Amino acid sequence: MQPDDYAVSAEFYDVLQARQDEIRVHHLYGRDAGRARLGVLDIGAGTGRVTMMSLMESRVGVHAVEPARAMRAPLMTRLASLPTELRERVTVHPQTLEEAALHGVADVAICHNTIACLAPAARQALWPAVARALVPGGSLLLQLPPARLPDKDIMRVFPRQRVGRHEYGGHMLMSADGDRIRTRFDYWVRGSGNALREHIESFWMWPATLAELIGDLEKHGFAPLRRDDPALLAMTLSSGNNVLHSGRP
C-alpha cells in the first residue's frame, strides 16, 4: 500500500458509505470492544469508524493502524474534534502493523474491511504481527473477504447524498481478473442537474476461504471462537502462546 492510496475514495467514503458502515461496525464488534480490559487494536482504521466505536464503547486505550495518508487525514480530523479525555485514549500509527511493531497492547483486535485488500503475502506478514500486538487470551475479529472469485460482474450502487447544493453518488463494480478481484469505484458530483466532477479509483481484492484463514491463523497460536454472523471470523490467541514473551514470530 502506498501513502497516497485511496486519495479519491477518502473524499467520498464518509458521504456515501460511512453511515451504513457505522451501523455494521457496531453490530459486528460493539460487544467485544465494550468488554476490552487492556486495549483495542483497529487494523486498517480508514477514516475511523471502528476507532470511534471503540472509544465510545470501551474505557481502554485504542490503537488505530492506518498506513494510507489519504484515509488518515479524515481520521485525524475526526479525532481532533473529540473531547480531550477521549482523544487522549487513542494513538494513531501511520504505518502497517508489522512496521508499528506493537507488543501486548490490546486484548481485542478488529480488522474491518481490510483483509480482502491484502495480497496473500501481506496477510502472512500480518498474522504474526497481530499475535505480538495481542496478549494471550485476546481476541481477533475480522470481516471475511470473498471466499471465491465472482462468477459475473457485481455492481453496488450507493444511495445518493446531498451536501448543500451538490448531489453525490456513485457505484462499485467487482469483477474477476485472473486470481484476483478488480474493484472499481465510480464517483460523481452534480449540481443543478449538471455533472461537476467524475472520478474513478480501482483496487485489487484477493479471495480466501474460511478454512484457509483459520488454518493460517492457527499456525500463529490462534483458535476459532464461535460467532453466528457469517461475515465475521473470530479467533482467540492461545493463553500458552509465547510470541510476546520471546519477541520472535
Side-chain angles (χ1 to χ4, degrees):
M1 181 181 295
Q2 300 301 314
D4 290 327
D5 283 351
Y6 305 101
V8 172
S9 293
E11 176 185 356
F12 290 89
Y13 172 76
D14 278 355
V15 175
L16 297 178
Q17 303 175 64
R19 178 54 185 159
Q20 182 178 1
D21 204 31
E22 182 178 6
I23 295 171
R24 185 160 182 75
V25 159
H26 276 83
H27 169 72
L28 289 175
Y29 317 111
R31 181 178 62 178
D32 292 272
R35 293 175 176 174
R37 294 296 174 263
L38 173 63
V40 178
L41 174 63
D42 181 7
I43 306 167
T47 65
R49 293 299 160 181
V50 170
T51 296
M52 296 295 290
M53 178 277 296
S54 300
L55 284 172
M56 300 304 174
E57 295 293 334
S58 75
R59 295 293 179 268
V60 298
V62 177
H63 292 266
V65 177
E66 180 48 65
R69 183 183 296 117
M71 299 300 272
R72 269 199 328 273
L75 168 63
M76 294 302 297
T77 300
R78 186 165 282 118
L79 295 177
S81 68
L82 294 176
T84 301
E85 60 270 20
L86 288 178
R87 192 169 64 246
E88 289 181 344
R89 280 203 286 120
V90 60
T91 302
V92 177
H93 301 274
Q95 64 261 96
T96 66
L97 184 59
E98 305 91 273
E99 294 166 337
L102 301 178
H103 288 258
V105 299
D107 54 343
V108 175
I110 299 171
C111 195
H112 178 71
N113 199 26
T114 297
I115 293 301
C117 299
L118 296 181
R123 291 178 190 167
Q124 296 305 319
L126 176 63
W127 305 141
V130 178
R132 285 190 291 266
L134 281 173
V135 293
S139 299
L140 167 63
L141 309 166
L142 61 89
Q143 185 181 23
L144 290 168
R148 63 180 187 276
L149 296 170
D151 296 327
K152 59 182 180 179
D153 290 356
I154 300 172
M155 180 180 289
R156 174 189 170 196
V157 178
F158 303 125
R160 298 179 182 185
Q161 303 293 336
R162 179 165 291 278
V163 179
R165 297 181 178 181
H166 295 165
E167 186 178 52
Y168 290 71
H171 66 266
M172 175 185 72
L173 181 67
M174 297 173 59
S175 56
D177 190 331
D179 62 347
R180 300 179 293 180
I181 301 171
R182 182 186 295 275
T183 307
R184 192 179 98 170
F185 290 83
D186 288 69
Y187 301 109
W188 51 259
V189 183
R190 296 172 183 164
S192 302
N194 300 315
L196 301 177
R197 289 189 288 140
E198 294 183 352
H199 301 279
I200 296 175
E201 193 166 44
S202 295
F203 306 99
W204 291 110
M205 297 172 64
W206 287 262
T209 66
L210 178 63
E212 288 171 338
L213 292 171
I214 291 176
D216 288 342
L217 284 161
E218 285 178 335
K219 297 174 185 176
H220 299 282
F222 288 91
L225 289 172
R226 181 182 177 86
R227 284 294 191 275
D228 294 330
D229 196 311
L232 182 69
L233 172 60
M235 305 286 286
T236 183
L237 186 64
S238 169
S239 58
N241 188 281
N242 62 2
V243 169
L244 295 176
H245 305 293
S246 70
R248 298 188 299 272

